[in-house]
Amino acid sequence: MRKKYTEEMHVMEKQISGLKNQIAELQGEAAVLREHQEKLDCKYNDEKNKLKMSFDEEKANLQELLRQEHEEDVRARLEQVNEKFSQEREELIQNGVWVEEKMRVLVQTLQEEKGELERGFHEQLKRMAEVHALEKEELQQELLRKHERALEEER
């Protein structure tokens, strides 16, 4: 029994020794894996930082592009507004010229009509003066005849 026990102990010691060797190997592998893990973490952080920098740079580029596009849009709209303003201003100037011409024509027409009315009034006044003069002369002649008759009757 002792022999059996010794053999079992010997087998177990071999197994324990094998397990210790395995543990030592596993601990070595674990150290290598931890070191590898640390390297991978560093590499991951480096890649992450590079990606973040790349993302930030791309973001800045896109923001600049958007700003430039917005500026171009604003310039284009401003140009359109200025062009429309110029067109409307030109139309107003043309309308002003047209209105001035119309006013000049109307004033000239009114002056001509006023001149015609004044001539007509003066002619009418002249005719009335002539008629009045004729009537006055007739009345004077009639008065003279009546006076002469009255004198003849008195004699």
Side-chain angles (χ1 to χ4, degrees):
M1 210 122 154
R2 223 179 215 207
K3 195 177 181 183
K4 191 177 178 191
Y5 175 72
T6 308
E7 282 179 18
E8 281 182 20
M9 279 294 280
H10 185 56
V11 170
M12 286 182 144
E13 283 174 3
K14 273 186 178 182
Q15 286 177 345
I16 288 174
S17 177
L19 287 174
K20 282 182 182 180
N21 286 339
Q22 279 184 338
I23 288 173
E25 283 177 22
L26 288 174
Q27 283 176 338
E29 286 180 24
V32 168
L33 286 174
R34 271 193 293 277
E35 189 178 304
H36 189 61
Q37 176 72 36
E38 286 176 11
K39 286 180 183 177
L40 286 176
D41 284 346
C42 286
K43 190 176 180 181
Y44 167 77
N45 286 333
D46 286 346
E47 288 295 319
K48 181 178 154 184
N49 288 337
K50 284 179 187 176
L51 284 173
K52 185 177 184 325
M53 285 174 47
S54 175
F55 173 77
D56 289 344
E57 187 178 318
E58 186 66 25
K59 181 181 172 185
N61 289 341
L62 287 173
Q63 285 176 334
E64 179 62 20
L65 183 65
L66 284 173
R67 186 192 63 75
Q68 288 174 354
E69 286 177 358
H70 180 68
E71 259 182 33
E72 289 173 9
D73 286 347
V74 167
R75 279 191 194 114
R77 279 193 243 144
L78 181 62
E79 197 173 300
Q80 288 173 345
V81 166
N82 282 337
E83 191 174 307
K84 186 176 179 183
F85 173 76
S86 294
Q87 288 173 351
E88 289 177 356
R89 187 171 148 252
E90 187 62 33
E91 287 176 12
L92 286 173
I93 289 170
Q94 289 173 359
N95 287 342
V97 168
W98 180 82
V99 166
E100 284 179 20
E101 180 62 24
K102 277 290 196 189
M103 289 298 291
R104 189 186 63 72
V105 167
L106 284 173
V107 165
Q108 185 178 354
T109 303
L110 287 174
Q111 286 175 341
E112 289 172 0
E113 288 177 1
K114 178 184 171 193
E116 289 176 20
L117 285 174
E118 285 177 352
R119 279 191 295 278
F121 173 75
H122 288 298
E123 287 177 17
Q124 194 176 22
L125 193 60
K126 187 177 175 183
R127 280 193 303 262
M128 286 176 67
E130 289 173 357
V131 167
H132 177 67
L134 284 175
E135 286 178 352
K136 182 178 173 186
E137 191 177 312
E138 286 175 7
L139 285 173
Q140 282 177 345
Q141 286 178 359
E142 191 176 319
L143 197 69
L144 184 61
R145 279 188 293 245
K146 282 184 183 178
H147 185 61
E148 285 176 354
R149 267 189 246 141
L151 281 177
E152 279 180 21
E153 285 178 5
E154 274 182 23
R155 280 192 210 167

